[in-house]
Amino acid sequence: MEDSPSTTKPHLLLIPFPFQGHIIPSAHLALKLAAAGFSVTFVNTEAVHHQIALANDEYLARFSGADGGHRDIFAGARSSGLDIRYELVGDGLPVTFDRSLNHDEFAVQLLHSFHGKVEALAGRLPPISGLVADTFFVWPATLARSLGIPYITFWTEPALVFSLYYHMDLLRHHGHFGSQAENRKDTITYLPGVAAIEPTDLMSYLQDSDTTTVVHRIIFKAFEEAHQADFILANTVAELETETIAAVHREKPFYAVGPIFPAGFTRSAVATSLWAESDCSQLLDSRPRGSVLYISFGSYAHVEKKVLEEIAHGVMASGASFVWVLRPDIVGSNDPEPLPAWFKKETAGRGIVVQWCRQAEVLSHPAVGGFLTHCGWNSILESVWSGVPMLCFPLLTDQFTNRRLVVGDWKVAVDLGGGSGRMAVRREDVAEKIGRLMRGEEGVMAREEVKKVRSILQGALAGGGSSSRNFDRFVEDLKCRVSSRRPV
Ligand code: UDP
């Protein structure tokens, strides 16, 4: 849209996976790449854009086109001098289709029709020098090869999770994944760069017995493509995953450039939220330091109503002040009242329940002393950056593996339990663990440890730190690679 990308700078096509936890780091990666001298075209799906526009109407109205129609989430960034454009593609379904309620139909489109849409877009754009695409897409290496450009796979989760998917064949070979009979239950000790991991710490998709689902097909194909990537750019930190990264790096250039946050952390220059953000500052400003529990299960997972009810009982019994984010579709978009009717009345004055918030702003408020989280990777990075210890309640996908990092390896979190396929929790445990995190010895220890991990993150992003150096090296290596070939 607007003016075309610069013809002197290498032009990158950057395509986030159309989920909130992927869009946020991808948008900030786009800003970093543009600031590093690339011309960037960022591609959202029409459905994602529609949802962002609805949620951020006021903000985006400032940047609406002359016709008042198209709202460009990067218009502000571009007016500050960054060479970054915004394009939309269809994902094969009508914009108003309920992707949360009909996840598998949506996934089928991602598997089959997205490729063609991106290919058609690439044909309409000025010459492209490189494709930066989320690792979960099933087509980027194939598309990049047909365009004669490098594929930079963008990984938004820990290197450990990347490595486990990357070595699925080894897990299969040893009977820890995809066995005809039951999968092995003993400790996994043969993966490069992963000294030992329990099968219960694998991602949920590697613990499933049915491996024929559409999500499995996506993962299998996506990692076939990842095996053909030219560069891996990852939102993690070298010092936190040294051995795992070194092992992947022996196979393919791997650049740990995280944590990728908005400049200034709490406020984003780009509108990325899919739901309207509530302001939580009134409650937070009125509470003592470290006294508020922040609760969120992220943007994607659903939670069963009876599980939410147990958690609600536990939160009430814990006596803690709280900010609780409950998306309108947390149980399912056909169930808009996820909490039991008594909860709001019984906890009035003690906490607030909101649909969505500016999470980074909430986490960095001094009143927040703990985070009951589903262990999404962005949430973990943001919590650590804010010095907030966690209580872990993973629900699916990488969240079990992420829990192993924060509870087992870094000791910055307390575990609330739950395993793949076992989304169960008892109200007594919720209340007790909240108490331990907010007021107990375990919380004190986790708070001390989180300071150490936070200083690792800060050091990585500082000038001369590992992530800064890795990013510079990546930019240099990519520029070198693209200058040696003519863009298509
Ligand atoms: N988030 C937010 N407001 C909320 C809840 C979440 O801005 O009320 C953001 C959060 O800061 C994080 C992202 O949404 O950047 C969620 O990503 P994560 O990897 O933690 O989990 P996912 O949603 O992918 O499961």
Side-chain angles (χ1 to χ4, degrees):
M1 324 234 144
E2 319 266 324
D3 11 35
S4 38
S6 149
T7 44
T8 51
K9 296 174 185 172
H11 174 206
L12 301 179
L13 188 59
L14 194 158
I15 315 184
F17 211 66
F19 291 149
Q20 182 76 88
H22 297 247
I23 296 161
I24 295 172
S26 301
H28 296 102
L29 174 66
L31 297 177
K32 271 170 86 79
L33 289 167
F38 291 98
S39 173
V40 179
T41 298
F42 185 96
V43 183
N44 258 341
T45 64
E46 283 160 3
V48 162
H49 175 75
H50 178 73
Q51 210 179 324
I52 291 176
L54 285 179
N56 301 270
D57 202 36
E58 220 177 280
Y59 171 88
L60 286 173
R62 302 210 312 265
F63 303 116
S64 57
D67 60 353
H70 182 72
R71 314 273 176 87
D72 180 340
I73 65 169
F74 286 99
R78 197 168 44 254
S79 66
S80 73
L82 293 177
D83 188 355
I84 181 159
R85 299 291 173 285
Y86 186 51
E87 290 285 344
L88 304 180
V89 289
D91 61 10
L93 291 165
V95 158
T96 50
F97 181 83
D98 189 337
R99 289 159 179 76
S100 168
L101 196 60
N102 304 287
H103 180 263
D104 280 7
E105 284 92 321
F106 178 33
V108 166
Q109 296 299 319
L110 291 176
L111 188 61
H112 295 302
S113 57
F114 208 86
H115 182 171
K117 313 263 179 200
V118 177
E119 194 166 24
L121 171 70
R124 291 196 300 275
L125 291 176
I128 301 166
S129 331
L131 175 63
V132 185
D134 195 286
T135 311
F136 283 107
F137 281 124
V138 296
W139 41 262
T142 309
L143 177 61
R145 205 170 36 244
S146 78
L147 296 173
I149 56 176
Y151 166 33
I152 302 100
T153 194
F154 180 44
W155 181 246
T156 61
E157 295 172 5
L160 175 61
V161 175
F162 185 92
S163 175
L164 293 169
Y165 281 137
Y166 201 78
H167 296 111
M168 263 179 302
D169 52 339
L170 278 176
L171 290 166
R172 214 187 260 280
H173 174 77
H174 286 87
H176 279 106
F177 167 62
S179 303
Q180 300 291 11
E182 231 187 321
N183 288 335
R184 277 172 60 182
K185 302 225 168 5
D186 56 324
T187 308
I188 299 160
T189 53
Y190 46 78
L191 294 173
V194 182
I197 186 161
E198 296 306 323
T200 47
D201 291 332
L202 294 177
M203 296 78 85
S204 60
Y205 303 119
L206 297 187
Q207 297 188 47
D208 286 346
S209 39
D210 177 6
T211 61
T212 62
T213 71
V214 60
V215 177
H216 285 91
R217 274 151 57 210
I218 288 179
I219 291 169
F220 299 155
K221 184 71 177 81
F223 274 82
E224 259 175 59
E225 297 280 304
H227 274 270
Q228 301 164 56
D230 297 279
F231 304 95
I232 306 162
L233 204 51
N235 190 14
T236 186
V237 175
E239 288 82 351
L240 294 180
E241 301 195 87
T242 313
E243 298 303 319
T244 311
I245 291 173
V248 180
H249 191 72
R250 278 195 285 279
E251 300 197 33
K252 209 172 268 304
F254 186 106
Y255 305 82
V257 299
I260 300 174
F261 290 144
F265 185 58
T266 52
R267 291 275 176 141
S268 170
V270 190
T272 51
S273 274
L274 297 178
W275 295 272
E277 296 153 339
S278 294
D279 183 359
C280 306
S281 56
Q282 209 185 341
L283 176 107
L284 293 172
D285 289 347
S286 69
R287 290 297 189 277
R289 194 177 187 87
S291 66
V292 176
L293 177 72
Y294 172 58
I295 310 171
S296 166
F297 303 116
S299 64
Y300 173 75
H302 294 133
V303 183
E304 288 166 25
K305 205 164 179 135
K306 64 177 194 304
V307 172
L308 281 182
E309 188 166 348
E310 286 302 297
I311 295 174
H313 275 286
V315 169
M316 191 180 75
S318 76
S321 292
F322 61 88
V323 170
W324 190 346
V325 172
L326 277 174
R327 299 184 331 261
D329 68 334
I330 188 79
V331 173
S333 29
N334 48 4
D335 189 350
E337 281 301 331
L339 282 183
W342 53 262
F343 184 77
K344 278 192 192 162
K345 209 165 111 233
E346 297 289 322
T347 58
R350 247 182 61 198
I352 49 172
V353 178
V354 297
Q355 294 202 342
W356 198 250
C357 69
R358 282 187 289 276
Q359 179 166 299
E361 195 174 280
V362 169
L363 281 171
S364 48
H365 194 289
V368 172
F371 182 7
L372 168 49
T373 174
H374 70 309
C375 294
W377 185 238
N378 295 292
S379 292
I380 287 172
L381 291 174
E382 290 159 4
S383 198
V384 169
W385 187 260
S386 309
V388 175
M390 288 158 273
L391 179 56
C392 296
F393 188 55
L395 299 165
L396 82 168
T397 182
D398 59 327
Q399 296 152 20
F400 303 99
T401 320
N402 301 345
R403 170 179 60 183
R404 131 86 196 250
L405 290 172
V406 292
V407 176
D409 294 4
W410 312 338
K411 309 203 179 344
V412 297
V414 173
D415 187 22
L416 180 53
S420 179
R422 285 187 294 113
M423 195 204 277
V425 69
R426 292 179 335 132
R427 59 189 72 178
E428 299 80 9
D429 292 338
V430 177
E432 192 211 322
K433 296 273 174 83
I434 291 175
R436 283 205 229 162
L437 178 76
M438 301 299 286
R439 300 179 292 270
E441 187 58 25
E442 265 174 275
V444 172
M445 277 155 58
R447 210 155 286 125
E448 280 310 304
E449 293 305 312
V450 94
K451 283 186 199 152
K452 296 180 196 160
V453 184
R454 175 171 62 178
S455 69
I456 293 174
L457 299 195
Q458 288 169 336
L461 285 193
S466 64
S467 290
S468 302
R469 278 184 283 115
N470 286 341
F471 187 75
D472 291 348
R473 204 157 44 80
F474 166 74
V475 168
E476 215 174 282
D477 293 351
L478 180 59
K479 284 187 176 166
C480 184
R481 169 79 179 261
V482 300
S483 68
S484 64
R485 57 173 74 208
R486 281 169 54 81
V488 288

